[in-house]
Amino acid sequence: MSGTASHTPVTISFIAESAGVSVPTVSKVINGRAGVAADTRSRVEALISEYGYRKPVVTRNNTMELVFDQLEHQWGLEIIRGVQRVAREQGIGVILTEFGPQSSTIRYWIDDTLARRPACLVSVAQLSDGERDQLRARGIPFVVFDPTGELPDDVPFVGATNWSGGRSATRHLIELGHRRIAMIGGPDAILCCRARLDGYRSAIEAAGLPIDPSLIVPTELTRDHGQAAALDLLRRPDRPTAVFCCNDLQALGVYQAARSLGLRIPADLSVVGFDDLPITSLADPPLTTVHQPLFDMAQAATELALTLGRGEKARQPRLELATTLTVRNSTAPPASRRR
Amino acid sequence: MSGTASHTPVTISFIAESAGVSVPTVSKVINGRAGVAADTRSRVEALISEYGYRKPVVTRNNTMELVFDQLEHQWGLEIIRGVQRVAREQGIGVILTEFGPQSSTIRYWIDDTLARRPACLVSVAQLSDGERDQLRARGIPFVVFDPTGELPDDVPFVGATNWSGGRSATRHLIELGHRRIAMIGGPDAILCCRARLDGYRSAIEAAGLPIDPSLIVPTELTRDHGQAAALDLLRRPDRPTAVFCCNDLQALGVYQAARSLGLRIPADLSVVGFDDLPITSLADPPLTTVHQPLFDMAQAATELALTLGRGEKARQPRLELATTLTVRNSTAPPASRRR
DNA sequence: CTGAAAGCGCTTACAG
DNA sequence: CTGAAAGCGCTTACAG
């Protein structure tokens, strides 16, 4: 009996009637007020637990939503922490959703989100036009985190300076003396990959070096694809002395390829990644990579979203935070230079 | 003016008065009902946005809390996903808190949590006696995830079979032919470390081998400490042929130590870790380790907590899920055996 | 210790 | 299109 879920929620007056007491008495029990006889109290408590009564929570948007497409191992946490930090300072609870591989048994995420009436939403997923419309219709402001594609001009977002990052990574290699620098790129559909590639090109051109299209290999953003691309590049007779990768996983693939060909990093080959995943400092050798300030980006996105949620205008609703080059031990002057 | 936060929340009747209309009219605007003149509607909307009125959310515990002490990079996410998955199927939002390094500027987490009246709470942190009392007083059931210390008998928890895991890891090494097997352990205060160590001892004894106390080195659960402990062990003339580590980070430290001494893994030294962190499959060679079913544990903990939150009795409120040995490439028969 | 009464913020018919 | 009236679930004095 008590396990059966009834669809009309149990009310305080229903409990009162069942217990044969008045509504105020039940209210006192629920709120732990004095002035209720011990046996009355325990009778009411028994009914409350039998019927599963729970006091309704009346809140005014003291939560926000954080939505992920897929919670990636290496960067999801950094984002969560940044959002958490800012929200907590403002007494806001962060409700986290990963919609992940869509399954019909799982309710559509946006219905739940809308029903919770959050103060705002930060989306690490690319929201569809329809989803954005639904949020707007309900007056729930949202911020897109690190958008992967083009976004209409009125959509607030927080990203990273991908172009500058690609440029400074490449310039670092040039300054070490490298002249044949390959780039293992990402899918053209992903905006940040295009930006990183253009940053690479820009640095090459700024140094007055020629761009060799055969040194640019676009592929998927995985370790295995990085390895395959690197094997192709490194088996060439005029192999590059340095490789800049669109992300860290690809760079770890380059490590594997180099090792299997007997090339030492950085003595025979310099490698630069992008993202600064936690594992990169554990790699052997520790990877030189472009740091994405995910934690700061998450904080900025949350501040922006909460500001919009308060109905205030944001001074800067579309921004990119600066990447920084983290130099570790996977880069060195090319062999030819060192002797 | 509009940015000023007033402490008495703005009500619908205040908006009605300001707009010179009735309360029902404002209600219609807020809920998007028909039957409001366009100019009335826009006048009311302007006031709503000016005073920042937000409709109160009346919910009956459709959220739960997930609390972390510190969100660790390697395992936090797996836990979050498991909790998320189960909660979402039941239409429950997961509010995530990391209390992290306590700071006076950040409000005390439990006050916020209590105020939100969640259906239940899953704690990846060791809750203090006082915190548990507060939760009980408010009728918020909780489950401790993977407790690190002893817990009173009435506290529900979900853990992993650490003792069995330590035992099967060690047995794996024995079956490969190892006889001198070292253990790099963890701090004695952490319950799971003691369990893993006892599992190691149990396997050694079950095989009729002697326990050599000098091969048991307790230290911190970090890579650096693992490396230091391994250097000590591996420099001995009678060095062990295999090392079982209390966690994966220590095992990665053993990798470093072995490399610096010119020992190959697994040819000269077998290594087993514990936890099965995502990075272990990327290590070189991929690490043999004891898999903790964090995702399943998180699902079980959430189901348990939600069951308790419904006021139902749980059949099994204190349980451990089985660990499994994941054999990769860091273990092999000892050199002496192979020729 | 109990509950009738008044009141809160909000919504829902429905009369004009 | 508007709002008076009744009603919802709940809380707060306060009379007995």
Side-chain angles (χ1 to χ4, degrees):
Chain A
M1 233 349 104
S2 66
T4 320
S6 86
H7 262 268
T8 47
V10 185
T11 63
I12 202 175
S13 72
F14 174 77
I15 298 291
E17 198 183 344
S18 312
V21 298
S22 72
V23 164
T25 300
V26 178
S27 176
K28 280 176 214 165
V29 171
I30 286 159
N31 295 292
R33 304 256 185 285
V36 183
D39 64 328
T40 308
R41 184 179 294 274
S42 61
R43 192 150 38 92
V44 170
E45 276 170 349
L47 262 346
I48 285 173
S49 109
E50 178 179 354
Y51 289 109
Y53 173 81
R54 311 220 99 212
K55 178 171 158 165
V57 195
V58 180
T59 53
R60 283 169 202 268
N61 306 96
N62 62 358
T63 62
M64 61 171 285
E65 304 273 327
L66 173 60
V67 177
F68 284 85
D69 200 340
Q70 190 96 28
L71 222 31
E72 300 280 355
H73 254 101
Q74 296 288 343
W75 39 45
L77 221 48
E78 214 48 21
I79 299 169
I80 291 171
R81 299 174 91 162
V83 171
Q84 242 293 118
R85 162 77 71 94
V86 170
R88 231 176 108 209
E89 279 167 5
Q90 307 197 19
I92 302 283
V94 178
I95 300 188
L96 192 133
T97 302
E98 173 193 26
F99 41 94
Q102 284 296 350
S103 127
S104 56
T105 60
I106 291 190
R107 297 159 60 180
Y108 192 50
W109 74 270
I110 205 165
D111 294 334
D112 289 333
T113 294
L114 260 23
R116 285 191 285 260
R117 302 187 158 271
C120 62
L121 181 146
V122 169
S123 175
V124 188
Q126 196 80 352
L127 299 172
S128 69
D129 293 353
E131 286 161 347
R132 291 200 300 265
D133 286 346
Q134 283 189 73
L135 290 166
R136 266 188 284 253
R138 303 293 189 98
I140 300 171
F142 55 92
V143 172
V144 177
F145 185 92
D146 204 15
T148 56
E150 223 87 51
L151 234 34
D153 283 353
D154 59 344
V155 176
F157 72 84
V158 174
T161 57
N162 288 296
W163 181 85
S164 307
R167 195 174 141 99
S168 66
T170 310
R171 194 169 45 210
H172 166 65
L173 292 169
I174 293 169
E175 284 168 357
L176 285 171
H178 292 277
R179 291 298 170 264
R180 287 188 62 70
I181 302 169
M183 162 123 206
I184 297 179
D188 211 47
I190 302 180
L191 207 59
C192 66
C193 295
R194 294 215 299 272
R196 292 170 193 183
L197 174 58
D198 281 350
Y200 158 86
R201 282 211 191 90
S202 166
I204 301 271
E205 282 172 351
L209 298 174
I211 288 185
D212 178 349
S214 75
L215 288 181
I216 299 175
V217 188
T219 183
E220 300 299 311
L221 295 167
T222 67
R223 190 166 74 143
D224 288 350
H225 284 90
Q227 180 178 22
L231 282 175
D232 279 352
L233 284 166
L234 298 177
R235 281 186 181 133
R236 293 167 49 162
D238 56 344
R239 63 174 176 78
T241 61
V243 184
F244 169 45
C245 301
C246 195
N247 80 354
D248 287 341
L249 294 178
Q250 291 179 333
L252 295 178
V254 175
Y255 274 40
Q256 291 185 296
R259 191 166 293 151
S260 68
L261 297 176
L263 297 172
R264 293 156 304 159
I265 296 172
D268 303 315
L269 183 72
S270 285
V271 182
V272 181
F274 207 113
D275 287 342
D276 198 13
L277 300 183
I279 47 166
T280 57
S281 62
L282 297 177
D284 180 32
L287 181 69
T288 294
T289 184
V290 179
H291 176 74
Q292 286 219 73
L294 292 177
F295 185 80
D296 297 333
M297 287 161 68
Q299 293 202 93
T302 307
E303 261 155 25
L304 176 52
L306 289 170
T307 300
L308 297 173
R310 265 180 257 115
E312 297 168 22
K313 282 275 162 290
R315 256 166 308 150
Q316 191 43 270
R318 295 166 70 81
L319 66 155
E320 289 194 341
L321 266 54
T323 53
T324 48
L325 183 69
T326 301
V327 178
R328 298 207 183 90
N329 304 330
S330 66
T331 46
S336 56
R337 265 288 189 95
R338 255 174 299 142
R339 58 186 71 157
Chain B
M1 237 339 109
S2 66
T4 318
S6 87
H7 262 268
T8 46
V10 185
T11 62
I12 202 174
S13 71
F14 174 77
I15 299 291
E17 198 182 342
S18 314
V21 298
S22 71
V23 164
T25 299
V26 178
S27 175
K28 280 175 214 165
V29 171
I30 285 157
N31 296 292
R33 304 256 186 284
V36 184
D39 64 328
T40 308
R41 183 179 295 274
S42 59
R43 193 151 37 93
V44 171
E45 277 169 349
L47 262 348
I48 284 174
S49 110
E50 178 178 354
Y51 290 109
Y53 174 82
R54 310 221 99 211
K55 177 171 159 167
V57 194
V58 180
T59 52
R60 282 169 201 270
N61 305 97
N62 63 356
T63 61
M64 62 172 284
E65 304 273 327
L66 173 59
V67 178
F68 284 85
D69 198 341
Q70 190 95 28
L71 222 31
E72 300 278 356
H73 254 101
Q74 295 288 342
W75 38 44
L77 220 49
E78 214 48 22
I79 299 170
I80 291 170
R81 299 175 90 164
V83 171
Q84 243 291 118
R85 162 77 70 94
V86 170
R88 231 176 112 210
E89 279 169 4
Q90 307 197 20
I92 303 284
V94 178
I95 299 188
L96 194 132
T97 302
E98 174 191 25
F99 41 93
Q102 283 296 351
S103 127
S104 56
T105 59
I106 290 192
R107 296 160 60 179
Y108 191 50
W109 74 271
I110 205 164
D111 294 334
D112 289 333
T113 294
L114 260 24
R116 285 191 286 260
R117 304 190 156 269
C120 61
L121 180 146
V122 169
S123 175
V124 188
Q126 197 79 353
L127 298 171
S128 69
D129 293 352
E131 287 162 346
R132 291 200 300 265
D133 285 346
Q134 284 190 72
L135 290 166
R136 266 189 284 255
R138 303 295 189 96
I140 300 172
F142 55 91
V143 173
V144 177
F145 186 92
D146 204 13
T148 56
E150 223 87 50
L151 233 35
D153 283 353
D154 59 344
V155 175
F157 73 83
V158 173
T161 56
N162 288 295
W163 181 83
S164 306
R167 196 173 141 98
S168 67
T170 310
R171 194 170 46 210
H172 167 64
L173 292 169
I174 293 169
E175 284 169 356
L176 285 172
H178 293 276
R179 291 298 170 263
R180 286 189 62 70
I181 302 169
M183 162 120 205
I184 297 178
D188 212 47
I190 303 179
L191 206 60
C192 68
C193 295
R194 296 215 297 274
R196 291 171 193 183
L197 173 59
D198 282 349
Y200 158 86
R201 282 211 191 90
S202 166
I204 301 271
E205 281 171 354
L209 298 174
I211 286 185
D212 178 351
S214 75
L215 288 182
I216 299 175
V217 188
T219 184
E220 300 299 313
L221 294 167
T222 67
R223 190 168 75 145
D224 288 350
H225 284 90
Q227 180 178 20
L231 282 175
D232 280 351
L233 285 166
L234 298 176
R235 280 185 181 134
R236 293 166 48 161
D238 57 344
R239 64 172 175 79
T241 60
V243 184
F244 168 45
C245 300
C246 195
N247 80 354
D248 287 342
L249 294 178
Q250 291 178 333
L252 295 178
V254 176
Y255 274 40
Q256 291 186 295
R259 191 166 294 152
S260 67
L261 297 176
L263 297 172
R264 292 157 304 159
I265 297 170
D268 304 314
L269 182 72
S270 286
V271 182
V272 181
F274 207 113
D275 287 342
D276 198 12
L277 300 183
I279 46 165
T280 57
S281 62
L282 297 178
D284 181 30
L287 181 68
T288 294
T289 184
V290 179
H291 177 74
Q292 286 219 73
L294 293 177
F295 185 80
D296 296 333
M297 288 161 67
Q299 293 202 92
T302 307
E303 260 155 24
L304 176 52
L306 289 171
T307 299
L308 298 173
R310 265 180 257 115
E312 296 168 22
K313 282 274 160 295
R315 259 166 306 151
Q316 190 43 270
R318 295 166 69 81
L319 65 155
E320 290 194 341
L321 265 52
T323 54
T324 48
L325 183 70
T326 300
V327 179
R328 297 206 182 92
N329 304 330
S330 66
T331 47
S336 56
R337 267 286 190 97
R338 257 175 297 143
R339 55 185 76 153

